[in-house]
Amino acid sequence: MLDLNVRLERDGFRLDASLSASAGVTALFGPSGAGKTTLAHVLAGLLRPDEGRIRLDDDILFDSDQKLWKPARQRRIGCVFQEARLFPHLSTEGNLRFALRQARGADPVIGWDDAVEMFELAALLPRRPDRLSGGERQRVALARALLAAPRLLILDEPLAALDPHRRKRLVGYLRRLRDHLDLPLVYITHEPREIARFADEAVLMREGRILLAGAAHDVLSSGAFVEMTGDPDPWSVLAPEVTGHTPTGATMLALGAQAFRIPRIDALPGEQVRLVVRGRDLLLSTATSPLEEISIRNAFAVEIGSIASQDGVCLVDLMLGASRLALRLPAATVRALGLEPGRPAQVLIRSVAFEGRSLEPETCIAGELDT
Amino acid sequence: MIDALQPGEWDAIQLSLRVAAVSLVVSLPFAIGVALLLARKQFPGKLLVETLVHLPLVLPPVATGYVLLALFGTAGPVGGFLQNTFGVELAFRWTGAVLAAAIMAFPLMVRPMRVALEAVDPGLEQAAATLGASRLRTLLSITLPLAAPGVIAGAVLGFAKALGEFGATITLAANIPGETRTVPLAIWSALQTPGGEPAAWRLTVVAMMIAVLSLVVAEWLARPRRPHRA
């Protein structure tokens, strides 16, 4: 559990932020110059704020009243920087061993062999950073940060310096990191899709201030987020469980009581995956009978959640098992359909995205196998 | 052309090497410390420290030697203290030659070290800190290895300067055969003696050989490394 409340003034820039983050992934989102990296440096202990308090679990890292300040080297807060910051005179192995040596006495987050395997580093071990690609460098930086046994890991736009292809690959490694290690992450980004993909909680920042903080879904569909990104179409996340793969190349998924399949993805049975859904890909129907004779071959039973209306447009939340989907509808449509909280409905999903790949879901009867 | 070296000349060569080596070993940690201070820290009085460090470079060496004599001579404030407390005598001793050489070589050592340290990305030191590395470990494993070519260049320059130091040495330590007569002083003395030219030539050739050798060693030390595993 992280609790932070700091103020800092440097060269005309003011940071005035308070936030708390629990286990899981907290995304720090905002345009460049919002103070995300400054806040991350304050949290990591690289930059001392003028006043405030920072507490991680029971450990006070900063308290201006008590004149207490723990520098970075005493915090055990890992950092993966945008430019990886590998030590150029050491091989990959040298970089990792440097971190491992610092972890002595602390509870390890990950062992050497697991780190090498998780980030597929075996072939890179003898190479120096100047012989690695951007994506490889980030993998080494991730493994290095984890081997130092951090209590919390800050990822500062780890994808920003990568081309789309390498970005896609690194996303897979980040997903493994999130799903397989019990480590709170603070993820800095200016890409909405990355919040949808990774984050449990999200914090919106602008001009050194925190505009909004809360569950990722709520933040993604908030007015402040729409205003910041200029994109009114809300983002949602479906988190189904993989139940298996069919011989014909589909992956079977279960979302509560509903089963559906998508073209095969790289995930293991039993694993929970996150599928990103845009509001524009949702089609809502209040019909109670099965929807037939349409091109979209899925229909999910949902219940209308909250409806927030502003300026003639409504943000409608749909409850689908434990997941929530958000879409925007004109207020007139909401009235005409008689939408109200608690009412059952069906939603058709045109496409979902998994790690940047756009996929068409197809609902089926639970347990049905592709024939 | 060059006859075998005479015993007095051997003494001078050995003394020079000893003075330069001791001067290097003693001043190296200070030079690295001052270079780090100047490269990394902003503090009031930084200009004063910079000026003091560079002073021997611009002051006439004899004047530097005279200031040192006034401070470190038996009657001087520091010299008297050292002699009474530790029994260390500097004026007119080979240790005085070490002090003179170290002071004169200091600015030449600090400058390339500082430039090299300034070129080390502080982001790497931050990364080391977030991994939990202490300041000392970061310095020894990250900063100094990355600045190694500059540190070595500074050390070699300092060593060469210490070998060749003349003015401050003769003022502080005088020109005592076997005690403070280093190679440059021996060359100068030979030139003062009628028929001393062959001796001056022999010493000059030896001085050149030492200089070339130290440059080669420095090149070898600063060669690009293959990745070394920690």
Side-chain angles (χ1 to χ4, degrees), chain B residues 23-46:
Chain B
S23 139
L24 177 65
V25 169
V26 171
S27 58
L28 190 60
F30 293 100
I32 291 174
V34 169
L36 270 173
L37 192 72
L38 294 177
R40 282 281 185 267
K41 301 278 184 223
Q42 295 302 326
F43 55 93
K46 185 171 177 176

mmCIF file of all heavy atoms in Angstrom, chain B residues 23-46:
data_model
loop_
_atom_site.group_PDB
_atom_site.id
_atom_site.type_symbol
_atom_site.label_atom_id
_atom_site.label_comp_id
_atom_site.label_asym_id
_atom_site.label_seq_id
_atom_site.Cartn_x
_atom_site.Cartn_y
_atom_site.Cartn_z
ATOM 1 N N SER B 23 54.308 9.800 -5.539
ATOM 2 C CA SER B 23 53.476 10.991 -5.749
ATOM 3 C C SER B 23 52.144 10.601 -6.402
ATOM 4 O O SER B 23 51.079 11.086 -6.028
ATOM 5 C CB SER B 23 54.254 12.001 -6.587
ATOM 6 O OG SER B 23 53.435 12.604 -7.550
ATOM 7 N N LEU B 24 52.211 9.671 -7.370
ATOM 8 C CA LEU B 24 50.990 9.228 -8.056
ATOM 9 C C LEU B 24 50.052 8.502 -7.091
ATOM 10 O O LEU B 24 48.863 8.801 -7.008
ATOM 11 C CB LEU B 24 51.358 8.304 -9.223
ATOM 12 C CG LEU B 24 50.182 7.708 -9.999
ATOM 13 C CD1 LEU B 24 49.401 8.806 -10.693
ATOM 14 C CD2 LEU B 24 50.669 6.686 -11.017
ATOM 15 N N VAL B 25 50.622 7.557 -6.334
ATOM 16 C CA VAL B 25 49.798 6.744 -5.432
ATOM 17 C C VAL B 25 49.123 7.624 -4.373
ATOM 18 O O VAL B 25 47.943 7.466 -4.063
ATOM 19 C CB VAL B 25 50.654 5.643 -4.770
ATOM 20 C CG1 VAL B 25 49.885 4.978 -3.635
ATOM 21 C CG2 VAL B 25 51.076 4.623 -5.802
ATOM 22 N N VAL B 26 49.909 8.587 -3.851
ATOM 23 C CA VAL B 26 49.368 9.431 -2.787
ATOM 24 C C VAL B 26 48.315 10.396 -3.333
ATOM 25 O O VAL B 26 47.270 10.607 -2.712
ATOM 26 C CB VAL B 26 50.505 10.213 -2.089
ATOM 27 C CG1 VAL B 26 49.928 11.255 -1.133
ATOM 28 C CG2 VAL B 26 51.413 9.243 -1.347
ATOM 29 N N SER B 27 48.565 10.962 -4.520
ATOM 30 C CA SER B 27 47.661 12.023 -4.983
ATOM 31 C C SER B 27 46.457 11.489 -5.754
ATOM 32 O O SER B 27 45.453 12.188 -5.886
ATOM 33 C CB SER B 27 48.420 13.039 -5.834
ATOM 34 O OG SER B 27 49.029 12.405 -6.928
ATOM 35 N N LEU B 28 46.519 10.233 -6.244
ATOM 36 C CA LEU B 28 45.434 9.716 -7.081
ATOM 37 C C LEU B 28 44.057 9.765 -6.386
ATOM 38 O O LEU B 28 43.105 10.291 -6.973
ATOM 39 C CB LEU B 28 45.755 8.285 -7.547
ATOM 40 C CG LEU B 28 44.830 7.713 -8.622
ATOM 41 C CD1 LEU B 28 44.870 8.570 -9.881
ATOM 42 C CD2 LEU B 28 45.207 6.279 -8.962
ATOM 43 N N PRO B 29 43.939 9.251 -5.150
ATOM 44 C CA PRO B 29 42.611 9.328 -4.513
ATOM 45 C C PRO B 29 42.104 10.761 -4.353
ATOM 46 O O PRO B 29 40.920 11.036 -4.575
ATOM 47 C CB PRO B 29 42.828 8.691 -3.134
ATOM 48 C CG PRO B 29 44.104 7.946 -3.228
ATOM 49 C CD PRO B 29 44.926 8.591 -4.291
ATOM 50 N N PHE B 30 43.035 11.677 -4.020
ATOM 51 C CA PHE B 30 42.631 13.084 -3.874
ATOM 52 C C PHE B 30 42.198 13.658 -5.219
ATOM 53 O O PHE B 30 41.208 14.391 -5.308
ATOM 54 C CB PHE B 30 43.776 13.914 -3.296
ATOM 55 C CG PHE B 30 44.126 13.553 -1.883
ATOM 56 C CD1 PHE B 30 45.216 12.742 -1.607
ATOM 57 C CD2 PHE B 30 43.350 14.005 -0.816
ATOM 58 C CE1 PHE B 30 45.531 12.387 -0.304
ATOM 59 C CE2 PHE B 30 43.652 13.656 0.484
ATOM 60 C CZ PHE B 30 44.749 12.835 0.751
ATOM 61 N N ALA B 31 42.967 13.321 -6.263
ATOM 62 C CA ALA B 31 42.641 13.845 -7.594
ATOM 63 C C ALA B 31 41.265 13.355 -8.029
ATOM 64 O O ALA B 31 40.445 14.133 -8.540
ATOM 65 C CB ALA B 31 43.715 13.418 -8.595
ATOM 66 N N ILE B 32 40.977 12.056 -7.802
ATOM 67 C CA ILE B 32 39.668 11.515 -8.175
ATOM 68 C C ILE B 32 38.573 12.193 -7.352
ATOM 69 O O ILE B 32 37.532 12.586 -7.880
ATOM 70 C CB ILE B 32 39.640 9.975 -7.974
ATOM 71 C CG1 ILE B 32 40.546 9.309 -9.002
ATOM 72 C CG2 ILE B 32 38.210 9.448 -8.095
ATOM 73 C CD1 ILE B 32 40.710 7.812 -8.803
ATOM 74 N N GLY B 33 38.860 12.383 -6.060
ATOM 75 C CA GLY B 33 37.883 13.028 -5.180
ATOM 76 C C GLY B 33 37.573 14.445 -5.636
ATOM 77 O O GLY B 33 36.404 14.831 -5.754
ATOM 78 N N VAL B 34 38.614 15.217 -5.930
ATOM 79 C CA VAL B 34 38.403 16.607 -6.365
ATOM 80 C C VAL B 34 37.710 16.638 -7.723
ATOM 81 O O VAL B 34 36.803 17.445 -7.958
ATOM 82 C CB VAL B 34 39.747 17.369 -6.394
ATOM 83 C CG1 VAL B 34 39.594 18.711 -7.090
ATOM 84 C CG2 VAL B 34 40.268 17.565 -4.984
ATOM 85 N N ALA B 35 38.115 15.724 -8.616
ATOM 86 C CA ALA B 35 37.482 15.674 -9.941
ATOM 87 C C ALA B 35 35.989 15.360 -9.801
ATOM 88 O O ALA B 35 35.152 15.963 -10.472
ATOM 89 C CB ALA B 35 38.174 14.621 -10.811
ATOM 90 N N LEU B 36 35.644 14.421 -8.907
ATOM 91 C CA LEU B 36 34.238 14.084 -8.666
ATOM 92 C C LEU B 36 33.479 15.283 -8.122
ATOM 93 O O LEU B 36 32.370 15.597 -8.552
ATOM 94 C CB LEU B 36 34.138 12.943 -7.655
ATOM 95 C CG LEU B 36 34.128 11.529 -8.186
ATOM 96 C CD1 LEU B 36 34.211 10.543 -7.037
ATOM 97 C CD2 LEU B 36 32.844 11.283 -8.983
ATOM 98 N N LEU B 37 34.114 15.946 -7.167
ATOM 99 C CA LEU B 37 33.497 17.113 -6.537
ATOM 100 C C LEU B 37 33.189 18.181 -7.586
ATOM 101 O O LEU B 37 32.091 18.725 -7.640
ATOM 102 C CB LEU B 37 34.459 17.660 -5.479
ATOM 103 C CG LEU B 37 33.931 18.701 -4.503
ATOM 104 C CD1 LEU B 37 32.984 18.047 -3.525
ATOM 105 C CD2 LEU B 37 35.095 19.349 -3.765
ATOM 106 N N LEU B 38 34.174 18.443 -8.439
ATOM 107 C CA LEU B 38 33.994 19.491 -9.445
ATOM 108 C C LEU B 38 33.033 19.045 -10.544
ATOM 109 O O LEU B 38 32.312 19.859 -11.113
ATOM 110 C CB LEU B 38 35.346 19.864 -10.059
ATOM 111 C CG LEU B 38 36.344 20.533 -9.105
ATOM 112 C CD1 LEU B 38 37.669 20.801 -9.804
ATOM 113 C CD2 LEU B 38 35.778 21.835 -8.544
ATOM 114 N N ALA B 39 33.009 17.753 -10.843
ATOM 115 C CA ALA B 39 32.162 17.272 -11.940
ATOM 116 C C ALA B 39 30.707 17.150 -11.514
ATOM 117 O O ALA B 39 29.805 17.337 -12.320
ATOM 118 C CB ALA B 39 32.671 15.920 -12.449
ATOM 119 N N ARG B 40 30.465 16.812 -10.250
ATOM 120 C CA ARG B 40 29.117 16.423 -9.868
ATOM 121 C C ARG B 40 28.400 17.401 -8.941
ATOM 122 O O ARG B 40 27.181 17.389 -8.870
ATOM 123 C CB ARG B 40 29.154 15.057 -9.167
ATOM 124 C CG ARG B 40 29.289 13.879 -10.104
ATOM 125 C CD ARG B 40 27.956 13.549 -10.752
ATOM 126 N NE ARG B 40 28.049 12.341 -11.566
ATOM 127 C CZ ARG B 40 28.314 12.340 -12.857
ATOM 128 N NH1 ARG B 40 28.518 13.474 -13.485
ATOM 129 N NH2 ARG B 40 28.380 11.204 -13.512
ATOM 130 N N LYS B 41 29.140 18.204 -8.206
ATOM 131 C CA LYS B 41 28.488 18.996 -7.160
ATOM 132 C C LYS B 41 28.516 20.486 -7.488
ATOM 133 O O LYS B 41 29.487 20.987 -8.060
ATOM 134 C CB LYS B 41 29.196 18.777 -5.812
ATOM 135 C CG LYS B 41 29.204 17.336 -5.346
ATOM 136 C CD LYS B 41 27.893 16.951 -4.668
ATOM 137 C CE LYS B 41 27.986 15.541 -4.139
ATOM 138 N NZ LYS B 41 26.786 14.760 -4.388
ATOM 139 N N GLN B 42 27.443 21.144 -7.091
ATOM 140 C CA GLN B 42 27.413 22.598 -7.101
ATOM 141 C C GLN B 42 27.480 23.039 -5.649
ATOM 142 O O GLN B 42 26.714 22.569 -4.830
ATOM 143 C CB GLN B 42 26.123 23.108 -7.738
ATOM 144 C CG GLN B 42 25.978 22.775 -9.203
ATOM 145 C CD GLN B 42 27.102 23.298 -10.062
ATOM 146 O OE1 GLN B 42 27.655 24.371 -9.787
ATOM 147 N NE2 GLN B 42 27.483 22.546 -11.080
ATOM 148 N N PHE B 43 28.436 23.882 -5.305
ATOM 149 C CA PHE B 43 28.526 24.318 -3.912
ATOM 150 C C PHE B 43 29.146 25.710 -3.880
ATOM 151 O O PHE B 43 29.875 26.095 -4.798
ATOM 152 C CB PHE B 43 29.371 23.331 -3.085
ATOM 153 C CG PHE B 43 30.746 23.088 -3.642
ATOM 154 C CD1 PHE B 43 31.833 23.838 -3.201
ATOM 155 C CD2 PHE B 43 30.967 22.107 -4.604
ATOM 156 C CE1 PHE B 43 33.099 23.613 -3.705
ATOM 157 C CE2 PHE B 43 32.231 21.886 -5.118
ATOM 158 C CZ PHE B 43 33.303 22.639 -4.658
ATOM 159 N N PRO B 44 28.857 26.476 -2.835
ATOM 160 C CA PRO B 44 29.470 27.798 -2.734
ATOM 161 C C PRO B 44 30.980 27.621 -2.567
ATOM 162 O O PRO B 44 31.431 26.723 -1.860
ATOM 163 C CB PRO B 44 28.831 28.405 -1.484
ATOM 164 C CG PRO B 44 28.178 27.280 -0.760
ATOM 165 C CD PRO B 44 27.944 26.178 -1.731
ATOM 166 N N GLY B 45 31.733 28.456 -3.261
ATOM 167 C CA GLY B 45 33.186 28.356 -3.151
ATOM 168 C C GLY B 45 33.783 27.383 -4.148
ATOM 169 O O GLY B 45 34.963 27.049 -4.073
ATOM 170 N N LYS B 46 32.948 26.916 -5.098
ATOM 171 C CA LYS B 46 33.469 25.988 -6.104
ATOM 172 C C LYS B 46 34.569 26.650 -6.943
ATOM 173 O O LYS B 46 35.584 26.039 -7.252
ATOM 174 C CB LYS B 46 32.320 25.538 -7.005
ATOM 175 C CG LYS B 46 32.713 24.482 -8.020
ATOM 176 C CD LYS B 46 31.511 23.928 -8.733
ATOM 177 C CE LYS B 46 31.941 22.919 -9.795
ATOM 178 N NZ LYS B 46 30.809 22.291 -10.460
#
